[in-house]
Amino acid sequence: LAGLGRSLPRRHVYHREKGGSAVGKTRRGKGTKCMVVVDGRGVPVGVQLASAQIAECRLAESTLQQVSVPRPGRGRPRSRLRRLIADRGYDSDPLRMRLKQQGTELIVPYRKNVRNRRFQDKRKLRRYRKRWKIERTNAWLQNFRRIQVRYDRILTVFQGFFHYACLLITLRHLCN
């Protein structure tokens, strides 16, 4: 293989070098989508890693199953949310209906090209202003270089660093 590598370009010898599990194509190249559910203070309560090719509205329900909010005092952690504030990537009427059946209210503005806005209520969209807390948590996660640029091909190693970063963010909030 060493002698063969000198006569052929590297891309022919190592034809599948970049990749790994949960890596998908995007407009900017390849990547992994980090789905994070945060509470009202910006503390991560549920996370999921997936390929970047999958749309957010398809990953929303599986990410919500990862949520575990501790109750004050004794009792089992809560897994159902009352409200979910998300960006326009989650704009889907079937998703709104499925979450409503589970008892979760989805607060998402419609995309600009949608004409029939059946579920839009301007009073409830006032809560959408609090979405900056989610963006702030995403910015905190991007401060960790191992998460910003995925160097690991093995998903479990990357997932471990991702959970470690979420733990550090949670501990930072508990100590303050």
Side-chain angles (χ1 to χ4, degrees), residues 61 90-107 110 118-119:
E61 293 174 279
Y90 296 88
D91 175 28
S92 170
D93 285 342
L95 177 65
R96 283 186 175 94
M97 294 299 291
R98 288 192 303 265
L99 289 178
K100 193 170 192 173
Q101 289 173 353
Q102 295 175 5
T104 303
E105 178 186 4
L106 182 63
I107 300 173
Y110 277 93
R118 300 185 319 178
F119 298 101

Side-chain angles (χ1 to χ4, degrees), residues 103-120:
T104 303
E105 178 186 4
L106 182 63
I107 300 173
V108 175
Y110 277 93
R111 293 187 178 139
K112 294 182 180 179
N113 60 354
V114 176
R115 291 184 182 174
N116 186 11
R117 299 176 180 208
R118 300 185 319 178
F119 298 101
Q120 183 124 4

Side-chain angles (χ1 to χ4, degrees), residues 55-58 86-92 95 108-109 111 128 131:
E56 283 93 357
C57 60
R58 292 185 181 176
D87 60 352
R88 287 188 169 101
Y90 296 88
D91 175 28
S92 170
L95 177 65
V108 175
R111 293 187 178 139
Y128 186 73
R131 203 170 93 31

Side-chain angles (χ1 to χ4, degrees), residues 3 11 41 47 49 52 57 66-67 73 102 109 112 139 165 176:
R11 66 179 181 270
R41 295 179 298 158
V47 295
L49 299 174
C57 60
Q66 307 292 327
V67 172
Q102 295 175 5
K112 294 182 180 179
N176 288 337

